[in-house]
């Protein structure tokens, strides 16, 4: 089945530690996105990528980094510079261009700081 | 300025009644798309309905319809015959022109009462 997978479902980070969240899609979508969601809040864009080896900062990119070496993969690293990383992280993908094509979302990763 | 505004943090509706969730948007583009998503407590984002800026008729998908008023820049979601399973967060989103960036509102938490 086509879709987006995120792993792990839960992730624990120690102080000063970098952690990487995985996002893989087999939908052959060009565009991929990372969002952060705090409890009871909306989605805030961290990074997005429209093509392999290229990505753009979203609204809250500080303390995060990404790579896009393969079309199907868009991992997010939460660095030690991100002082308040506890949140729900959602990865999404979409077809390039306008129109009815929606974003498809993964199941999310909950990141907790120990 | 906010691209998407959802002014109802929480809503209650009686089972089997209809409910309207408000969404206003801000764009100077002529071509854009409007989306509604449902997020149950599990965290997954479920695509509900889409309205294109050039669509002359309001979109409908089963019990969901989108009340699109272009001059007022509003795209309200109407859920008919509410069910207990409709209790969730609902997000309005917009995609402008040829850009592949989506803007999300802060969401409305809907509670359906038996």
């Amino acid at each position: 089945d086509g879709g987006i997978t995120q792993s792990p479902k839960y992730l624990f980070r120690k102080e000063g530690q970098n952690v990487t969240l995985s996002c893989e899609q087999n939908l052959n979508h060009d565009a991929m996105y990372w969002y952060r969601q705090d409890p009871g809040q909306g989605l805030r864009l961290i990074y997005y990528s429209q093509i392999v080896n290229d990505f753009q900062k979203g609204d809250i990119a500080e303390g995060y980094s990404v790579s896009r070496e393969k079309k199907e993969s868009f991992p997010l690293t939460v660095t030690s510079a991100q002082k308040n990383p506890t949140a729900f992280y959602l990865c999404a993908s979409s077809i390039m261009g306008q129109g009815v094509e929606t974003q498809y979302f993964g199941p999310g990763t909950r990141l907790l700081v120990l | 300025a906010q691209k998407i505004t959802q002014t109802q943090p929480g809503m209650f509706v009686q089972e089997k009644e209809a409910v309207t969730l408000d969404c206003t948007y801000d764009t100077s583009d002529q071509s854009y798309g409007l989306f509604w998503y449902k997020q149950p407590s599990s965290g997954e984002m479920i695509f509900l309905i889409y309205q294109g800026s050039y669509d002359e008729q309001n979109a409908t998908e089963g019990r969901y319809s989108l009340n699109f008023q272009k001059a007022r820049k509003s795209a309200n979601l109407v859920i008919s015959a509410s069910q207990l399973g409709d209790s969730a967060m609902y997000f309005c989103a917009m995609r402008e022109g040829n850009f592949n960036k989506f803007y999300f509102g802060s969401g409305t938490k809907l509670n359906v009462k038996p």
Side-chain angles (χ1 to χ4, degrees):
Chain A
D1 285 357
I4 301 178
T5 57
Q6 290 185 244
S7 62
K9 187 173 182 179
Y10 295 95
L11 185 58
F12 299 92
R13 193 191 90 164
K14 296 179 181 178
E15 293 286 342
Q17 187 181 42
N18 291 355
V19 292
T20 297
L21 285 61
S22 169
C23 177
E24 303 276 334
Q25 54 100 358
N26 61 4
L27 300 167
N28 200 33
H29 287 170
D30 289 301
M32 296 188 73
Y33 311 78
W34 274 106
Y35 293 94
R36 169 178 171 145
Q37 186 179 28
D38 292 287
Q41 304 296 314
L43 277 65
R44 292 187 289 169
L45 183 65
I46 305 172
Y47 271 98
Y48 66 108
S49 168
Q50 301 183 82
I51 194 169
V52 173
N53 292 323
D54 187 43
F55 45 82
Q56 291 77 41
K57 292 182 179 180
D59 302 316
I60 56 165
E62 187 174 347
Y64 300 96
S65 66
V66 292
S67 63
R68 187 86 187 276
E69 297 176 1
K70 298 186 297 182
K71 185 176 184 178
E72 57 271 22
S73 178
F74 191 41
L76 173 74
T77 296
V78 183
T79 74
S80 57
Q82 174 49 246
K83 297 306 180 188
N84 185 22
T86 297
F88 185 53
Y89 291 86
L90 282 161
C91 179
S93 71
S94 72
I95 293 176
M96 292 276 286
Q98 59 185 326
V100 73
E101 293 301 333
T102 181
Q103 286 185 320
Y104 294 84
F105 286 85
T109 293
R110 294 191 186 276
L111 177 59
L112 299 168
V113 176
L114 296 177
Chain B
Q2 293 277 1
K3 288 282 188 179
I4 296 287
T5 302
Q6 295 180 252
T7 58
Q8 305 155 313
M11 291 276 288
F12 284 91
V13 65
Q14 203 68 37
E15 192 178 8
K16 299 180 185 177
E17 291 185 350
V19 63
T20 298
L21 307 183
D22 294 342
C23 172
T24 57
Y25 59 93
D26 181 27
T27 182
S28 56
D29 282 6
Q30 297 301 309
S31 175
Y32 51 89
L34 297 158
F35 303 81
W36 276 93
Y37 297 88
K38 173 184 178 181
Q39 187 181 42
S41 57
S42 60
E44 62 185 308
M45 293 285 284
I46 302 167
F47 166 66
L48 295 177
I49 195 167
Y50 165 84
Q51 180 82 42
S53 58
Y54 295 118
D55 295 341
E56 294 185 351
Q57 291 196 329
N58 288 341
T60 60
E61 288 287 347
R63 294 187 299 110
Y64 304 107
S65 60
L66 200 152
N67 184 0
F68 181 45
Q69 298 188 42
K70 196 169 183 176
R72 297 180 59 187
K73 293 188 175 179
S74 74
N76 299 339
L77 177 71
V78 180
I79 305 175
S80 63
S82 296
Q83 302 172 355
L84 295 178
D86 293 335
S87 294
M89 283 287 285
Y90 288 82
F91 292 98
C92 180
M94 177 175 67
R95 182 184 198 176
E96 289 181 315
N98 288 324
F99 293 117
N100 290 289
K101 187 176 177 181
F102 287 69
Y103 300 93
F104 283 82
S106 55
T108 296
K109 185 172 176 61
L110 177 66
N111 285 293
V112 180
K113 298 187 292 184

